């Protein structure tokens, strides 16, 4: 199926930023045929990563036709319970790849291709890289329908454009236009005394500054007095005209007395660097306040490629008795700007309130890491797991380790080990390592069992202990009962859930033959589509095996009839 190839809407009031060099601006089309509205922009700050594409709204529903953004061939299909869910990758002759995620279905041709593989592998989750000649697509060809599969909080299409090195790029740079006449919104401004002896308003700690709205739409911060090296951070979002969603901004520039200090651009990044988002934001502030401050200074361990025009790592060196006008300019892709002025008076003070950061017995030099052990529990923090040297708050109490708080970002896994020799092998089978959530409830943490020792790898500080899951998963048929005729059903729906350690795997057969079941974890739902054509008998014996993360198994059996 082809759609009419009309250029995207171009109305007065549309602004296109033009300063982006060397990308084709007339090559990729909007992959949907509804008025373009975004639930997420490129580079938007997400949990442990930058958003790598556009989240295109699909009118709060699933099933909108998704079209190939340009000609090419399907180079990768990935079906996963989590992440992008059902995702399609199209390789284009100009070297770029487009990605379409959280799909409900693929086009009939691609659906047949992937179903065959799923039945071959007897697995819903599959990943395949077709060759160039297998599934060629034309520009505007129907390739999928939009959905909500994987780690998606509502129906939408996740759309990416990647360069030849699989680095995601801002799709708006490619001429995909949308109306945006609203300037970014700034909700808070913070100042960080950074250098030794640096202080702001007599304190060496982070401070929130009051923002005073000006008639022209800009903000002036309350005047501060400061001395030494200081940095700033802001919380800012952008809104587009078509939807009220709070999206990410495109560009942030800072300067002092007219001299540029730093520029942050969300145009391109690599997946290898995306977790360093936790160095752009004030991580501790985020986990405690659920709001992301973007720091406008760059610490030594921060390798992000989104910075340019950097002077003194973005810090301002404030001298006694000089005055400064520090300015932050936040822009969206359409070029709308919001400006914040911060008047600063250089003033050295002697009575400085020190930062109350605590010295503890558990010092971790970032470059070497550290190891702690007590009560049969050991903690191993490898080198460069942390971005900065840190004093951790650690305490061991019975079978629990309180391993700081989730206020320091961890870049690569740390390992926590538990000696479980005092438990019988039977007990150990149902046990696992749990992280206690903020309400003190145990959450399964991926546990490796090696005889008398359990280990878990984690990137979150917090409280860890041993948990026990004695209950097998529950299985509840949704649209049929045992012994029933269900000739009219187009599918078989079954709810599965597990109270503690969580679902690890499932497998269903009918009359001994594998049947494909799609697992939607957000709804605890398994679905088999009779259109697969594998349930062909009149009398059908269904056997469903569901296993949780410690191995408790439920086998559900039922008979249904169809003709
Ligand atoms: Zn997305």
């Amino acid at each position: 199926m082809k759609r009419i190839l009309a250029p995207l809407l171009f109305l007065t009031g549309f602004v296109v930023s033009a300063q982006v060099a060397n990308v084709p601006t007339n090559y990729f089309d909007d992959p949907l045929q509804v008025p373009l509205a975004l639930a997420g922009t490129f580079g938007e700050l997400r949990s442990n990563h930058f958003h790598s594409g556009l989240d295109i709204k699909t009118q709060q529903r699933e099933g909108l036709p998704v079209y190939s953004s340009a000609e090419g061939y399907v180079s990768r299909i990935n079906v996963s319970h989590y992440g992008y869910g059902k995702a399609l990758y199209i390789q284009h002759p100009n070297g770029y790849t487009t990605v379409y995620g959280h799909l409900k279905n693929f086009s009939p041709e691609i659906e047949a291709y992937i179903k065959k593989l799923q039945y071959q592998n007897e697995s819903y989750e599959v990943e395949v890289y077709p060759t160039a000649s297998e599934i060629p697509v034309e520009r505007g060809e129907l390739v999928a329908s939009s959905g909500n599969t994987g780690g998606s909080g509502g129906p939408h299409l996740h759309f990416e454009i990647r360069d030849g090195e699989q680095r995601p790029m801002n799709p708006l740079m490619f001429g995909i236009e949308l109306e945006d006449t609203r300037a970014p919104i700034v909700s808070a401004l913070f100042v960080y005394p950074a250098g030794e002896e640096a202080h702001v308003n007599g304190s060496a700690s982070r401070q929130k500054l009051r923002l005073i709205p000006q008639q022209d739409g800009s903000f002036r911060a309350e005047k501060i007095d400061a001395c030494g090296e200081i940095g700033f951070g802001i919380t800012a979002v952008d809104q587009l005209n078509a939807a009220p969603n709070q999206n990410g901004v495109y560009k942030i520039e800072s300067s002092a007395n007219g001299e540029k200090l730093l520029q942050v651009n969300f145009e391109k990044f690599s997946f290898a660097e995306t977790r360093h988002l936790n160095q752009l934001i004030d991580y501790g502030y985020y986990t405690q306040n659920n709001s992301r401050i973007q720091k406008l200074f760059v610490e030594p361990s921060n390798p992000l490629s989104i910075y340019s025009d950097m002077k003194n790592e973005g810090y301002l060196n404030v001298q006694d008795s000089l005055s400064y006008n520090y300015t932050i300019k936040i822009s969206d892709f359409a070029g709308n700007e919001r400006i914040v002025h911060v008047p600063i008076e250089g003033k050295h003070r002697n009575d400085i309130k020190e930062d109350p950061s605590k010295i503890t017995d558990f010092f971790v030099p970032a470059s070497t890491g550290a190891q702690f052990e007590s009560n049969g529990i050991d903690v191993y923090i490898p080198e460069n797991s942390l971005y900065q040297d840190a004093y951790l708050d650690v305490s061991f109490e019975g079978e629990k380790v309180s391993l700081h708080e989730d206020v320091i970002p961890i870049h690569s896994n740390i390992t926590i080990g538990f000696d479980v020799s005092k438990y019988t092998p039977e007990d150990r089978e149902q046990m696992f390592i749990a992280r206690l959530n903020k309400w003190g409830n145990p959450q399964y943490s991926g546990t490796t069992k090696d005889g008398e020792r359990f280990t878990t790898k984690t990137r979150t500080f917090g409280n860890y202990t041993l948990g026990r899951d004695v209950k097998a998963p529950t299985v509840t048929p949704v649209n049929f009962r045992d012994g029933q005729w269900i000739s009219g059903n187009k599918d078989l729906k079954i709810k599965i859930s597990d109270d503690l350690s969580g679902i690890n795997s499932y497998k269903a057969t009918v009359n001994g033959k594998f049947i494909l079941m799609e697992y939607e974890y957000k709804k605890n739902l398994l679905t088999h589509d009779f259109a697969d054509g594998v349930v062909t008998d009149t009398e059908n014996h269904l056997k469903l095996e569901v296993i949780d993360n410690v191995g408790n198994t439920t086998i559900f059996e039922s008979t249904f009839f169809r003709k």
Side-chain angles (χ1 to χ4, degrees), residues 449-470:
K449 299 180 177 184
D450 185 8
E452 298 179 340
R453 183 174 154 78
F454 287 5
T455 53
T456 189
K457 291 184 186 302
T458 179
R459 294 199 278 194
T460 311
F461 283 124
N463 297 335
Y464 288 83
T465 189
L466 292 170
R468 185 186 292 244
D469 183 353
V470 297

Side-chain angles (χ1 to χ4, degrees), residues 292-367:
R292 294 183 177 96
I293 302 171
Q294 309 194 48
K295 295 183 287 189
L296 302 177
F297 49 91
V298 182
E299 285 140 315
S301 54
N302 179 348
L304 286 169
S305 64
I306 54 176
Y307 302 114
S308 59
D309 286 334
M310 187 155 65
K311 192 188 163 230
N312 195 32
E313 272 63 49
Y315 293 105
L316 176 64
N317 202 341
V318 179
Q319 310 281 323
D320 185 42
S321 71
L322 292 182
S323 57
Y324 303 82
N325 177 15
Y326 179 86
T327 304
I328 307 168
K329 187 164 89 179
I330 303 122
S331 317
D332 59 27
F333 193 82
N336 303 299
E337 295 175 350
R338 183 76 65 194
I339 291 172
V340 179
H341 293 288
V342 192
I344 303 164
E345 191 73 54
K347 184 174 164 192
H348 183 72
R349 296 212 220 178
N350 291 314
D351 54 330
I352 302 308
K353 272 223 313 277
E354 279 308 316
D355 196 342
S357 51
K358 218 163 75 181
I359 290 179
T360 70
D361 293 338
F362 299 91
F363 178 63
V364 184
S367 62

Side-chain angles (χ1 to χ4, degrees), residues 40-79:
T41 50
F42 181 85
E44 203 167 290
L45 314 175
R46 300 276 176 94
S47 176
N48 300 315
H49 70 283
F50 294 98
H51 189 233
S52 51
L54 301 178
D55 281 346
I56 306 180
K57 290 172 86 90
T58 52
Q59 308 182 325
Q60 285 92 43
R61 59 200 170 100
E62 301 181 26
L64 299 193
V66 177
Y67 303 95
S68 177
S69 184
E71 68 162 319
Y73 66 93
V74 175
S75 55
R76 180 181 173 195
I77 310 166
N78 193 17
V79 178

Side-chain angles (χ1 to χ4, degrees), residues 229-443:
E229 207 144 72
I230 64 172
F232 290 86
I234 55 151
T235 57
V237 295
D238 189 44
Q239 275 187 326
L240 306 165
N241 293 23
N245 297 65
Q246 301 207 325
N247 296 326
V249 304
Y250 170 60
K251 187 164 71 174
I252 307 171
E253 295 155 279
S254 67
S255 59
N257 295 343
E259 190 180 27
K260 201 108 172 242
L261 290 172
L262 186 69
Q263 179 167 322
V264 186
N265 268 79
F266 295 104
E267 293 186 343
K268 175 162 82 173
F269 61 84
S270 70
F271 288 105
E273 66 181 305
T274 194
R275 193 178 175 90
H276 289 284
L277 164 104
N278 289 336
Q279 300 209 72
L280 170 73
I281 65 167
D282 182 328
Y283 183 83
Y285 185 87
Y286 164 62
T287 57
Q288 298 200 311
N289 300 279
N290 198 28
S291 164
R292 294 183 177 96
I293 302 171
Q294 309 194 48
K295 295 183 287 189
L296 302 177
F297 49 91
V298 182
E299 285 140 315
S301 54
N302 179 348
L304 286 169
S305 64
I306 54 176
Y307 302 114
S308 59
D309 286 334
M310 187 155 65
K311 192 188 163 230
N312 195 32
E313 272 63 49
Y315 293 105
L316 176 64
N317 202 341
V318 179
Q319 310 281 323
D320 185 42
S321 71
L322 292 182
S323 57
Y324 303 82
N325 177 15
Y326 179 86
T327 304
I328 307 168
K329 187 164 89 179
I330 303 122
S331 317
D332 59 27
F333 193 82
N336 303 299
E337 295 175 350
R338 183 76 65 194
I339 291 172
V340 179
H341 293 288
V342 192
I344 303 164
E345 191 73 54
K347 184 174 164 192
H348 183 72
R349 296 212 220 178
N350 291 314
D351 54 330
I352 302 308
K353 272 223 313 277
E354 279 308 316
D355 196 342
S357 51
K358 218 163 75 181
I359 290 179
T360 70
D361 293 338
F362 299 91
F363 178 63
V364 184
S367 62
T368 60
Q371 234 169 322
F372 318 125
E373 189 175 355
S374 183
N375 298 23
I377 308 170
D378 53 274
V379 177
Y380 170 57
I381 302 173
E383 57 183 47
N384 300 319
S385 281
L386 306 186
Y387 299 119
Q388 287 169 12
D389 298 352
Y391 287 98
L392 301 184
D393 248 326
V394 183
S395 62
F396 296 88
E397 191 194 325
E399 273 181 343
K400 187 179 100 176
V401 55
S402 300
L403 189 55
H404 208 72
E405 262 184 283
D406 181 22
V407 293
I408 295 176
I410 301 178
H411 188 75
S412 47
N413 280 330
I414 66 171
T415 304
I416 305 171
F418 284 79
D419 177 352
V420 291
S421 57
K422 70 173 186 193
Y423 294 98
T424 65
E426 295 72 46
D427 282 344
R428 282 179 221 149
E429 277 196 6
Q430 293 182 320
M431 291 169 61
F432 59 94
I433 299 175
R435 175 169 187 265
L436 300 175
N437 67 13
K438 60 180 164 185
W439 298 281
N441 298 323
Q443 310 283 302

